[in-house]
């Protein structure tokens, strides 16, 4: 039986991008279907005392999260997945800026209405984005960021990985993540990161 894996992402987070590439690889080697959901680092960090440089970065991420929420609302899960691949490729491996123009190009590449890029400069989709965010935060709390993964009804932040494993290595990592996620008393495994995101 196919296992649904729900995956929450902020499209601007390079770590969420790495994890998303892993879960898509897992689909090739395990009976898994990944369902993508937008979330927002901007919303997560509202009211927090952040370093001014990081606050400026968080502020600029909002239009990308709004765009993912708009695609989710207007088109659905499969299209938000395709849009995320188009936008994430531009933002992460290609290093393009988080701009209306970048979002419009990604929308067009995914076969969606590029006009959405102008609509996300307003708060039109904020209520939807907050609703998607609430689902994620209700699952794991507010002390974690993006990505969030849910397997068989149990959710955790992460995994945070670099680089994203391929083939059977991706499947073996998924097997381990599924096991720890299944235990209701499991909360955290962590070590300091010694590499940045390694993009293909």
């Amino acid at each position: 039986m196919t296992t649904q894996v729900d995956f929450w992402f902020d499209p601007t987070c390079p770590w969420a991008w790495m994890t998303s590439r892993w879960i898509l690889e897992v689909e090739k080697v395990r009976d898994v279907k990944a369902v993508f959901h937008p979330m927002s680092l901007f919303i997560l960090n509202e009211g927090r005392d952040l370093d001014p440089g990081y606050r400026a970065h968080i502020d600029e991420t909002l239009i990308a999260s709004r765009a993912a929420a708009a695609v989710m609302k207007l088109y659905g899960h499969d299209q938000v997945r395709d849009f995320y691949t188009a936008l994430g490729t531009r933002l992460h491996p290609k290093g393009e800026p988080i701009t209306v123009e970048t979002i419009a190009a990604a929308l067009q590449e995914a076969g969606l209405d590029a006009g959405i890029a102008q609509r996300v400069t307003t708060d039109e989709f904020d209520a939807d984005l907050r609703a998607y965010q609430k689902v994620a935060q209700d699952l794991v709390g507010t002390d974690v960021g993006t990505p969030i993964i849910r397997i068989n009804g149990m959710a955790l932040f992460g995994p945070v990985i670099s680089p994203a494993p391929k083939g059977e290595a991706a499947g073996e990592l998924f097997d381990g993540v599924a096991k720890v996620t299944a235990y209701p008393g499991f909360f955290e495994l962590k070590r300091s990161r010694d590499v940045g995101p390694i993009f293909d």
Side-chain angles (χ1 to χ4, degrees), residues 32 43 80 89 93 98 109 141:
V32 161
I43 293 172
V80 84
T89 299
I98 307 166
E109 181 181 336

Side-chain angles (χ1 to χ4, degrees), residues 23-111:
I23 200 62
L24 292 178
E25 189 71 14
V26 170
E27 286 187 332
K28 301 174 185 177
V29 295
R30 296 291 185 271
D31 190 7
V32 161
K33 169 67 174 175
V35 178
F36 284 63
H37 308 263
M39 64 179 291
S40 169
L41 287 171
F42 178 89
I43 293 172
L44 184 69
N45 285 285
E46 281 181 322
R48 294 184 180 178
D49 185 19
L50 301 177
D51 172 81
Y54 186 60
R55 168 58 67 192
H57 167 69
I58 290 297
D59 289 349
E60 75 174 358
T61 68
L62 181 57
I63 60 169
S65 297
R66 283 172 169 170
V71 172
M72 178 76 171
K73 179 179 184 178
L74 299 173
Y75 295 97
H77 288 288
D78 289 344
Q79 285 73 21
V80 84
R81 168 180 170 144
D82 293 343
F83 170 66
Y84 179 37
T85 291
L87 181 60
T89 299
R90 290 174 180 277
L91 295 180
H92 303 300
K94 293 184 177 180
E96 294 182 20
I98 307 166
T99 62
V100 168
E101 292 75 20
T102 301
I103 291 167
L107 286 161
Q108 186 170 14
E109 181 181 336

Side-chain angles (χ1 to χ4, degrees), residues 61-185:
T61 68
L62 181 57
I63 60 169
S65 297
R66 283 172 169 170
V71 172
M72 178 76 171
K73 179 179 184 178
L74 299 173
Y75 295 97
H77 288 288
D78 289 344
Q79 285 73 21
V80 84
R81 168 180 170 144
D82 293 343
F83 170 66
Y84 179 37
T85 291
L87 181 60
T89 299
R90 290 174 180 277
L91 295 180
H92 303 300
K94 293 184 177 180
E96 294 182 20
I98 307 166
T99 62
V100 168
E101 292 75 20
T102 301
I103 291 167
L107 286 161
Q108 186 170 14
E109 181 181 336
L112 307 172
D113 175 15
I116 291 169
Q118 290 298 331
R119 295 166 68 182
V120 301
T121 61
T122 75
D123 63 1
E124 178 181 353
F125 299 101
D126 283 10
D128 304 289
L129 180 56
R130 288 182 183 281
Y132 305 142
Q133 177 88 11
K134 185 177 186 307
V135 173
Q137 289 184 189
D138 285 351
L139 289 168
V140 297
T142 59
D143 296 329
V144 299
T146 180
I148 292 168
I149 192 169
R150 178 171 62 185
I151 307 170
N152 294 321
M154 297 293 291
L156 290 171
F157 165 68
V160 177
I161 52 177
S162 183
K166 305 284 190 204
E168 184 57 22
E172 290 176 359
L173 177 58
F174 176 79
D175 297 341
V177 171
K179 286 184 188 308
V180 298
T181 304
Y183 182 64

